[in-house]
Amino acid sequence: MRLSPKSRMKTSTTFFRCRPSMSFINYSSREINCKIVYYGPGLCGKTTNLQFIYTKTNPDLKGKMISLATETERTLFFDFLPLALGQIRGFKTRFHLYTVPGQVFYDASRKLILKGVDGVVFVADSQIERMEANLESLDNLKLNLAEQGYDLDKTPYIMQYNKRDLPNAAPLDEMRRLLNPSDVPDFEACATGGTGVFETLKAVARGVLSDLKQMSK
Amino acid sequence: MNDTQLVMYDEDYRKVLAIIQKLVRDANAKGIFVVDRNGQLIGEAGEMRGIDTTSLASLTAGCIAATGGLAKIVGEEEFPIHFHQGHRDNLHITLVAKRIILVVIFDERSSLGLVRLRVKKAGTELGKVFEHIQKRSEQANAEGDGDAPFSEITDEDIDNLFSM
Ligand SMILES: Nc1nc2c(ncn2[C@@H]2O[C@H](COP(=O)(O)OP(=O)(O)OP(=O)(O)O)[C@@H](O)[C@H]2O)c(=O)[nH]1
Ligand SMILES: [Mg+2]
């Protein structure tokens, strides 16, 4: 990595990126931290995405998964999973994955979790009868981001069509047309079986890191 | 929310560490953690090494975020001081300079009164350090003097990350 003469003199620096972003670059421990939020309507499979990532990740690379949930396993505040993916130019890259509670009445909590977000995964429920809920949740995401001065179109953002295994899944074209008019990277998934889960994660991580690269230009 | 990108230098970090190391002694605390409002650990001191600091930082930030939301509902700007009493250990949490969270863990070797007293002083000092960082960062941002450590990440670097 080329460093400007000025930054070469620094022995250690910590960045708190608070653009809309908290990706946090720590020169003393040589770490980058990025916050990724899984958003989407109730029961669409956000928590299941994180659980799958948790079970399939090498123990050395992951921390504890925290789930603040109700007795019926609905997310109450958030799920949290810290991942240490590896090194990039000598920096350990850590991704902090969060899910929001999807149920409509938890809106206040969703707003809090979006603070400092670096990248968003929207998990859509493919079941035809959930299309209304998907649209509502997507609007809610845009609104809540805008309230904090963030613009979804300028935030690294991935669309996941989950529950493709179900017989009542809407046709892919239809979902694309309704939920992804701006044509961001999108993936079909079955979070329970794991299809598409890592592809989604990689895509959002790639988006966040490219964004970081753009911002430092 | 304060939206400036803060840049913290080694000298700042050492100042933070000195303040919390002194606070550990003055307050007879078991452990002290300084956490960014967004859930990143900035520094720690005391005898509680080895605990899961990543979880601690993210839950502390969640807790402050939730009570901050509550405060707005009842018409307060913020609840800057929190105290959680346990059977053995207690948690004292304060918000410093609106974006930094100071967590003090203490047991029967100390008392709430003592912790409160010492935290007040240390909090003021920490506040000064972070206000200084804030001002300097705002200036640097205004002058377009940001650092560019990641401008040279290549697609290949990103791909390599996922060879897991
Ligand atoms: N068939 C099928 N079921 C799924 C899939 N993904 C998740 N589920 C199921 O859907 C239910 C809800 O999943 P969760 O991951 O808890 O949903 P959530 O989005 O976290 O829901 P909230 O926490 O309420 O917002 C669970 O019973 C999952 O097993 C999928 O791809 N296919
Ligand atoms: Mg959930």
Side-chain angles (χ1 to χ4, degrees):
Chain A
M1 183 186 345
R2 185 171 53 83
L3 291 173
S4 65
K6 185 169 156 281
S7 47
R8 206 175 280 144
M9 296 185 324
K10 287 173 203 157
T11 41
S12 130
T13 315
T14 305
F15 282 70
F16 303 83
R17 271 185 184 279
C18 297
R19 182 238 353 159
S21 152
M22 80 158 191
S23 41
F24 173 104
I25 307 165
N26 189 328
Y27 279 74
S28 48
S29 52
R30 298 188 79 78
E31 278 178 19
I32 320 172
N33 285 287
C34 305
K35 176 174 182 176
I36 293 171
V37 174
Y38 284 69
Y39 214 91
L43 297 177
C44 67
K46 301 172 292 292
T47 298
T48 311
N49 263 270
L50 259 65
Q51 283 168 340
F52 185 81
I53 295 165
Y54 183 78
T55 54
K56 293 293 167 191
T57 304
N58 181 331
D60 303 340
L61 305 182
K62 69 186 176 196
K64 243 195 225 121
M65 176 161 168
I66 293 173
S67 289
L68 303 178
T70 67
E71 281 168 6
T72 53
E73 310 222 333
R74 304 295 299 269
T75 302
L76 177 63
F77 194 6
F78 58 75
D79 302 297
F80 168 70
L81 173 59
L83 286 183
L85 282 190
Q87 297 223 343
I88 210 164
R89 307 238 151 180
F91 278 78
K92 275 176 257 164
T93 49
R94 289 183 200 284
F95 287 89
H96 287 181
L97 312 185
Y98 285 84
T99 72
V100 299
Q103 294 181 84
V104 175
F105 57 89
Y106 288 134
D107 200 38
S109 305
R110 279 193 293 278
K111 290 181 194 186
L112 296 176
I113 291 148
L114 277 178
K115 285 193 173 153
V117 66
D118 292 306
V120 177
V121 172
F122 188 88
V123 180
D125 192 327
S126 292
Q127 299 179 88
I128 232 152
E129 57 271 30
R130 294 299 286 162
M131 220 45 67
E132 195 69 32
N134 288 329
L135 286 164
E136 199 180 308
S137 174
L138 193 54
D139 278 345
N140 177 256
L141 167 63
K142 286 178 194 160
L143 201 73
N144 284 343
L145 280 175
E147 220 170 80
Q148 293 171 53
Y150 311 167
D151 180 352
L152 182 60
D153 293 330
K154 292 184 187 133
T155 307
Y157 163 52
I158 304 295
M159 176 64 65
Q160 181 189 78
Y161 312 110
N162 190 34
K163 305 199 184 179
R164 294 311 294 166
D165 57 306
L166 292 178
N168 54 342
L172 188 60
D173 291 354
E174 169 104 1
M175 293 197 74
R176 282 211 162 112
R177 188 174 58 78
L178 285 172
L179 299 172
N180 193 7
S182 52
D183 204 22
V184 300
D186 55 1
F187 299 89
E188 294 185 83
C190 169
T192 34
T195 314
V197 169
F198 275 98
E199 288 80 352
T200 305
L201 173 63
K202 283 179 195 183
V204 74
R206 182 185 300 276
V208 169
L209 292 170
S210 312
D211 197 49
L212 202 61
K213 173 177 161 176
Q214 291 302 319
M215 279 196 301
S216 23
K217 274 199 171 146
Chain B
M1 271 306 259
N2 201 319
D3 269 4
T4 325
Q5 172 187 302
L6 289 192
V7 181
M8 194 161 132
Y9 294 87
D10 204 31
E11 70 199 58
D12 306 319
Y13 176 65
R14 276 201 293 267
K15 275 184 204 155
V16 169
L17 267 194
I19 294 169
I20 61 178
Q21 279 162 355
K22 182 166 186 302
L23 182 57
V24 164
R25 294 190 301 271
D26 290 351
N28 276 337
K30 279 178 83 172
I32 295 185
F33 302 88
V34 179
V35 177
D36 167 64
R37 238 193 135 125
N38 285 327
Q40 308 288 345
L41 185 72
I42 295 168
E44 60 178 307
E47 60 184 60
M48 298 193 73
R49 308 272 149 173
I51 70 163
D52 182 354
T53 51
T54 311
S55 298
L56 178 133
S58 104
L59 286 173
T60 305
C63 176
I64 287 288
T67 46
L70 273 178
K72 297 222 166 54
I73 291 170
V74 302
E76 279 286 322
E77 197 195 330
E78 197 87 66
F79 293 121
I81 302 175
H82 302 254
F83 174 57
H84 300 291
Q85 185 169 11
H87 282 300
R88 213 183 50 227
D89 292 338
N90 311 293
L91 272 179
H92 189 277
I93 304 176
T94 26
L95 192 61
V96 174
K98 296 205 168 139
R99 67 187 295 169
I100 300 302
I101 306 166
L102 176 62
V103 184
V104 179
I105 303 178
F106 66 97
D107 59 16
E108 79 286 343
R109 287 172 290 175
S110 184
S111 70
L112 179 57
L114 180 66
V115 169
R116 241 191 211 149
L117 184 72
R118 303 301 192 198
V119 158
K120 208 168 171 189
K121 184 154 173 291
T124 310
E125 288 168 17
L126 273 180
K128 277 187 201 143
V129 175
F130 282 100
E131 271 152 31
H132 171 72
I133 296 172
Q134 170 98 28
K135 277 211 194 94
R136 195 186 52 208
S137 306
E138 274 166 11
Q139 257 169 14
N141 282 358
E143 290 161 14
D145 187 23
D147 280 279
F150 293 97
S151 56
E152 294 182 13
I153 293 178
T154 62
D155 285 350
E156 203 187 343
D157 288 329
I158 297 176
D159 283 335
N160 287 341
L161 256 196
F162 290 101
S163 51
M164 52 193 215

